[in-house]
Amino acid sequence: MMQRPPPQEEFLLKETNPHLGGGKHTGDKHTSTYDLVEQMQYLYVRVVKAKDLPAKDVTGSCDPYVEVKLGNYKGTTRHFEKKSNPEWNQVFAFSKDRLQSSVLEVTVKDKDLVKDDFIGRVLFDLNEVPKRVPPDSPLAPQWYRLEDRKSEKVKGELMLAVWMGTQADEAFPEAWNSDASGVTGADGLANIRSKVYLSPKLWYLRVNVIEAQDLQPSDKGRFPDVFVKAILGNQALRTRISQSRNINPLWNEDLMFVAAEPFEEPLILSVEDRVAPNKDEVLGRCAIPLQYVDRRLDHKPVNTRWYNLEKYVVVEGDKKKETKFASRIHMRICLEGGYHVLDESTHYSSDLRPTAKQLWKTAIGVLEVGILNAQGLMPMKTKDGRGTTDAYCVAKYGQKWVRTRTIIDSFTPKWNEQYTWEVFDPCTVITIGVFDNCHLHGGDKAAQSRDARIGKVRIRLSTLETDRVYTHSYPLLVLHPNGVKKTGEIHLAVRFTCSSLLNMMHMYSHPLLPKMHYIHPLTVSQLDSLRHQATQIVSMRLSRAEPPLRKEVVEYMLDVGSHMWSMRRSKANFFRIMGVLGGLIAVGKWFDQICHWKNPITTVLIHILFIILVMYPELILPTIFLYLFLIGVWYYRWRPRHPPHMDTRLSHADSAHPDELDEEFDTFPTSRPSDIIRMRYDRLRSIAGRIQTVVGDLATQGERLQSLLSWRDPRATALFVIFCLVAAIVLYVTPFQVVALLTGFYVLRHPRFRHKLPSVPLNFFRRLPARTDCML
């Protein structure tokens, strides 16, 4: 038995009223750089260096480190081997919400195998700690004499700076944080800090393979079947087999690749001969470094070049090259700067600019996002026998990715981090994802684990009013094989500021993509494969950053699997189409009711309007636009008050059958047993049959229109041609107003004058031949 869908209120957006920026954002929005987040107070301790530390070991040396302790929270610096004047320059941040003591204790210790020796300490009363607010200059560190446990001065001094500040402090991103006190090791600490990443700069590489000359196949007695194979990184493409079938083959074929700066790998081309069904012989190779390839910004052709084909190509190393100067290949190769390289799902693009910076237009505004907190997160893993979640957020807009710090072991994490992006087009989408960090303690086991998805939010900038601060709690929804789940809520503050309203309005008259996409369009299958390559390159490059933005995170943010077949998605799209057609059907039904005089008063009013419009035809267009204006003004009362969000009802996620969900989460190729595959295949065939019927019916109507004048049915075409001649003569001698009035009155005639049978024109149209009778 299927479970009932959960209550829809659970999945709705909630408007909130947080205390942002210490209440400053209501007035002048430039008062603080952190005006979209709630202020969080921290006690900062910068441990700079020490001098003249006494020797504690038997060897007469000192291996010093510093322990910073506040109540139960304790942070330690790295230790130095045998150094009495160490330099650490490390910052520690203790959250004021969690302060458990009024005394800060900074202790210098000597690292030992058995028990670390106490060297000296410095105590601070928290009531005496100064406050610092950016943009004040950082607090200068001072030397403090070390004391023993009886508060008596001992040998050695420690340079420190201690102050109270907020998360807006410059020291905050790199500081050790009391929220993450359980994390150890440099790898673990690097994995929890906030970071900004940049996508690699992507180019389309166009390889126009024209011809080859003087090839030398091993078997001289047969016509060669020659093709060209091109490899760039893990992308491999090949031309068709040349129809020339001689040693000077001709192709004139384009191959498209995605390349990313910095260009690490050359383009490797090989000319191959198909000597047997599964056997190819390499006739020559060449390697082309992309650094020296021409770049073009428009559709003007670049120069062609002849490249020598060599028997062996050595990219790195000193292997001897055996060169055949006689064989060469003619090509036109260029990096396309005028296209935008699509790496995201086209429905959710955050950037539509061309690759070449010279073609970028000026920014039209700024997008600011405050990632405040999350509520009610689900436990994503078990630790010490209990459920836990270590949550962080990733936001992606344009080429800039941001990652918040990880809040350890909390179902209600508070980040309060603010980020800014330049906006070049309002019809773009920012994506914010929430993940569970599974790489806190480093090691091989953590390296193999994957960060779990908690959910994501998309906000289309064009749906936001300018200069308004939107503070909403968004539901985090994830589709699992057993249904849709709400995994919590994320609290965001969003503001879209426009620098020039005129510029932004002007954007709406521009094409969405750069003009090269329209002058030299790429095919749908090309775009699909290029987008797949682009996402692979982006995820690979970002996973090599330090700390890495992992492959599973990048692929979830870029909607990599959105093109896969899904019964649920197909149903959702079908109902979307029906929703769009529903409005047209409603208008048709309303007009049918008028024609059948269901409400005589309305029909009489329509008659009066119709007579006025026929007598004064110049009023037709003004009346239509006036009606549209009035409808638009009327609907202003019900305009949306909040950004759109994930809709489970629209996605059919709350009513999907378990087997449909299992099919959606199946791998490609499938990993399910054959009987399930057979059942799914039969179901797919039945749905495809229905789609096929609809498409066929549409094609039939179009072919009937074409056959009106094609003489396929000579009698029907003769009747139509004679009708056209008579109609032309009648319309020529009859005033247009009379024809329009008679036609309108005939359409609006009373039901008692109507026939139950279809009309003559409809009968005639349905009898016209289509090409269905030629189908096998």
Side-chain angles (χ1 to χ4, degrees):
M1 185 178 162
M2 275 188 70
Q3 58 178 10
R4 291 182 62 198
Q8 195 69 7
E9 292 75 31
E10 187 189 353
F11 299 137
L12 291 179
L13 210 62
K14 295 172 191 163
E15 190 147 12
T16 59
N17 189 21
H19 191 64
L20 301 183
K24 292 176 188 168
H25 84 276
T26 48
D28 177 16
K29 66 173 181 282
H30 299 292
T31 49
S32 162
T33 50
Y34 273 62
D35 63 333
L36 286 184
V37 289
E38 295 178 341
Q39 279 196 359
M40 298 170 78
Q41 297 290 325
Y42 285 90
L43 171 70
Y44 288 96
V45 182
R46 183 185 290 280
V47 179
V48 184
K49 55 187 175 180
K51 66 179 181 184
D52 303 334
L53 295 179
K56 287 284 180 182
D57 290 351
V58 184
T59 55
S61 64
C62 172
D63 306 331
Y65 72 93
V66 175
E67 181 183 278
V68 183
K69 191 175 175 187
L70 187 63
N72 289 339
Y73 293 108
K74 182 170 70 176
T76 55
T77 66
R78 61 192 179 279
H79 82 278
F80 287 100
E81 298 279 338
K82 300 178 180 175
K83 205 166 187 184
S84 56
N85 297 321
E87 277 197 36
W88 295 283
N89 204 18
Q90 280 179 253
V91 182
F92 299 84
F94 297 88
S95 173
K96 193 178 177 186
D97 295 345
R98 298 186 183 182
L99 294 188
Q100 300 165 327
S101 169
S102 59
V103 177
L104 170 72
E105 189 177 343
V106 183
T107 311
V108 184
K109 291 188 175 181
D110 178 30
K111 190 85 173 165
D112 221 332
L113 285 172
V114 187
K115 187 173 184 265
D116 297 344
D117 296 323
F118 174 90
I119 295 176
R121 68 179 183 184
V122 182
L123 299 179
F124 292 91
D125 183 349
L126 295 195
N127 297 320
E128 303 296 321
V129 170
K131 281 191 177 176
R132 176 186 174 245
V133 181
D136 290 357
S137 297
L139 195 69
Q142 298 178 32
W143 286 106
Y144 293 88
R145 280 289 298 275
L146 296 177
E147 299 173 347
D148 60 15
R149 289 195 172 92
K150 297 174 184 172
S151 299
E152 290 178 5
K153 300 284 186 231
V154 294
K155 190 186 176 192
E157 290 183 66
L158 186 61
M159 184 181 266
L160 293 172
V162 181
W163 72 95
M164 293 295 292
T166 66
Q167 78 270 35
D169 203 292
E170 294 91 338
F172 183 72
E174 293 301 320
W176 173 95
N177 200 307
S178 59
D179 290 339
S181 54
V183 178
T184 54
D187 285 354
L189 284 170
N191 267 312
I192 63 167
R193 287 185 174 143
S194 56
K195 281 283 178 286
V196 173
Y197 302 83
L198 289 176
S199 286
K201 188 177 184 183
L202 300 175
W203 295 79
Y204 283 146
L205 174 70
R206 190 187 292 271
V207 181
N208 179 219
V209 183
I210 303 169
E211 59 183 329
Q213 244 181 28
D214 303 328
L215 297 178
Q216 297 180 358
S218 56
D219 184 359
K220 303 278 194 296
R222 57 178 276 279
F223 294 115
D225 289 333
V226 187
F227 63 90
V228 175
K229 189 158 94 179
I231 298 172
L232 181 65
N234 59 357
Q235 306 168 69
L237 293 174
R238 42 176 287 177
T239 65
R240 64 187 184 279
I241 289 173
S242 172
Q243 298 302 302
S244 317
R245 305 202 65 195
N246 57 28
I247 59 164
N248 298 323
L250 185 72
W251 294 279
N252 199 17
E253 198 173 328
D254 269 2
L255 304 175
M256 294 285 283
F257 296 90
V258 178
E261 286 188 25
F263 302 122
E264 294 173 345
E265 293 153 327
L267 173 71
I268 296 174
L269 286 122
S270 59
V271 180
E272 302 187 16
D273 179 15
R274 173 67 47 88
V275 290
N278 289 318
K279 191 180 173 195
D280 301 322
E281 181 197 1
V282 177
L283 303 180
R285 284 196 176 100
C286 67
I288 300 158
L290 298 187
Q291 290 89 325
Y292 311 116
V293 168
D294 291 336
R295 303 180 181 200
R296 70 172 184 180
L297 309 181
D298 49 27
H299 54 284
K300 289 174 187 160
V302 295
N303 294 330
T304 62
R305 276 186 62 190
W306 287 94
Y307 295 87
N308 289 333
L309 290 170
E310 297 155 1
K311 202 68 180 168
Y312 304 102
V313 168
V314 182
V315 179
E316 289 173 14
D318 302 320
K319 189 175 174 184
K320 192 180 173 215
K321 296 182 184 179
E322 184 193 320
T323 309
K324 302 227 172 195
F325 286 109
S327 300
R328 47 189 203 149
I329 187 167
H330 190 198
M331 290 187 295
R332 178 185 283 115
I333 303 178
C334 67
L335 288 161
E336 298 277 14
Y339 288 92
H340 167 67
V341 181
L342 294 156
D343 60 339
E344 303 165 286
S345 172
T346 42
H347 303 296
Y348 313 121
S349 286
S350 65
D351 187 11
L352 301 162
R353 291 171 294 172
T355 301
K357 276 196 170 177
Q358 301 94 302
L359 300 177
W360 288 7
K361 303 226 170 11
T362 51
I364 55 154
V366 168
L367 172 68
E368 295 161 283
V369 177
I371 300 171
L372 302 173
N373 55 58
Q375 299 290 328
L377 296 185
M378 306 276 282
M380 301 303 289
K381 56 179 179 266
T382 52
K383 183 179 161 189
D384 303 331
R386 64 185 182 85
T388 179
T389 297
D390 307 317
Y392 68 92
C393 293
V394 174
K396 192 238 187 252
Y397 184 78
Q399 292 177 330
K400 179 176 164 184
W401 299 66
V402 300
R403 169 182 173 154
T404 67
R405 67 193 190 283
T406 302
I407 305 294
I408 307 298
D409 194 11
S410 172
F411 300 134
T412 56
K414 286 187 178 181
W415 293 286
N416 283 307
E417 295 182 29
Q418 185 170 333
Y419 297 96
T420 305
W421 287 268
E422 275 191 314
V423 176
F424 292 86
D425 194 316
C427 302
T428 44
V429 175
I430 181 170
T431 305
I432 297 144
V434 187
F435 300 88
D436 175 45
N437 197 332
C438 298
H439 299 85
L440 297 181
H441 302 290
D444 294 337
K445 192 179 174 187
Q448 290 165 8
S449 57
R450 293 162 64 88
D451 287 355
R453 310 165 173 182
I454 299 177
K456 71 179 161 194
V457 172
R458 295 192 200 97
I459 302 170
R460 187 171 290 275
L461 271 56
S462 58
T463 61
L464 303 176
E465 294 172 21
T466 48
D467 296 328
R468 175 181 161 189
V469 177
Y470 288 83
T471 51
H472 288 87
S473 213
Y474 295 79
L476 294 168
L477 305 173
V478 173
L479 196 66
H480 287 286
N482 53 356
V484 68
K485 271 189 187 171
K486 181 179 174 184
T487 50
E489 293 179 1
I490 183 170
H491 193 186
L492 303 174
V494 182
R495 177 171 58 214
F496 173 36
T497 313
C498 174
S499 50
S500 165
L501 192 61
L502 205 64
N503 267 0
M504 188 163 76
M505 294 302 192
H506 184 52
M507 284 299 296
Y508 281 87
S509 66
H510 286 239
L512 207 57
L513 289 163
K515 65 181 181 185
M516 277 294 282
H517 285 266
Y518 306 97
I519 296 168
H520 279 292
L522 303 169
T523 64
V524 174
S525 57
Q526 256 184 328
L527 282 172
D528 274 352
S529 68
L530 289 170
R531 185 193 157 217
H532 173 70
Q533 295 300 341
T535 53
Q536 294 297 310
I537 289 169
V538 170
S539 64
M540 187 182 71
R541 289 284 177 96
L542 291 178
S543 66
R544 280 164 44 189
E546 191 54 51
L549 199 58
R550 297 179 190 280
K551 190 171 188 274
E552 64 271 19
V553 172
V554 174
E555 288 186 349
Y556 182 56
M557 296 291 286
L558 294 178
D559 281 293
V560 164
S562 62
H563 64 285
M564 293 291 284
W565 158 261
S566 155
M567 189 79 177
R568 175 192 62 80
R569 225 178 262 127
S570 302
K571 258 196 235 171
N573 286 334
F574 172 75
F575 283 106
R576 281 173 63 202
I577 291 169
M578 294 311 294
V580 170
L581 294 176
L584 296 174
I585 293 164
V587 171
K589 282 181 180 172
W590 172 78
F591 189 70
D592 191 55
Q593 286 175 355
I594 283 165
C595 291
H596 284 82
W597 292 69
K598 289 276 194 288
N599 187 340
I601 298 167
T602 311
T603 307
V604 169
L605 286 171
I606 290 294
H607 273 82
I608 294 165
L609 177 67
F610 172 66
I611 292 165
I612 292 167
L613 292 179
V614 170
M615 300 311 291
Y616 304 100
E618 65 274 8
L619 291 179
I620 292 173
L621 284 175
T623 306
I624 290 169
F625 284 111
L626 183 66
Y627 268 57
L628 292 173
F629 165 76
L630 292 171
I631 291 165
V633 169
W634 179 254
Y635 279 143
Y636 180 74
R637 296 161 61 191
W638 295 287
R639 70 192 183 280
R641 301 286 177 164
H642 51 70
H645 65 293
M646 308 281 184
D647 191 333
T648 51
R649 207 42 74 82
L650 179 70
S651 315
H652 278 251
D654 54 354
S655 59
H657 190 273
D659 182 65
E660 291 171 8
L661 289 169
D662 183 63
E663 181 182 27
E664 189 167 338
F665 283 92
D666 192 4
T667 54
F668 185 84
T670 182
S671 57
R672 299 295 184 264
S674 57
D675 54 336
I676 292 177
I677 302 305
R678 188 177 291 112
M679 181 272 289
R680 286 179 184 167
Y681 177 59
D682 289 341
R683 182 174 65 194
L684 191 58
R685 281 173 69 192
S686 71
I687 289 167
R690 281 182 236 161
I691 294 168
Q692 183 179 295
T693 307
V694 172
V695 172
D697 287 346
L698 289 171
T700 299
Q701 307 311 325
E703 286 167 1
R704 281 175 178 163
L705 273 172
Q706 285 177 334
S707 66
L708 279 170
L709 293 168
S710 70
W711 295 92
R712 192 136 183 275
D713 180 342
R715 282 156 297 282
T717 304
L719 279 171
F720 182 67
V721 168
I722 292 164
F723 168 76
C724 288
L725 178 65
V726 173
I729 294 165
V730 170
L731 291 171
Y732 185 72
V733 298
T734 316
F736 176 74
Q737 276 100 333
V738 174
V739 175
L741 275 174
L742 290 173
T743 309
F745 285 144
Y746 175 74
V747 171
L748 295 167
R749 69 195 183 282
H750 199 274
R752 74 175 60 168
F753 303 116
R754 290 178 184 275
H755 231 292
K756 296 284 184 198
L757 297 175
S759 64
V760 172
L762 200 58
N763 292 334
F764 178 75
F765 184 74
R766 282 176 180 167
R767 287 171 171 277
L768 290 168
R771 301 179 71 185
T772 45
D773 43 357
C774 304
M775 298 270 294
L776 283 173

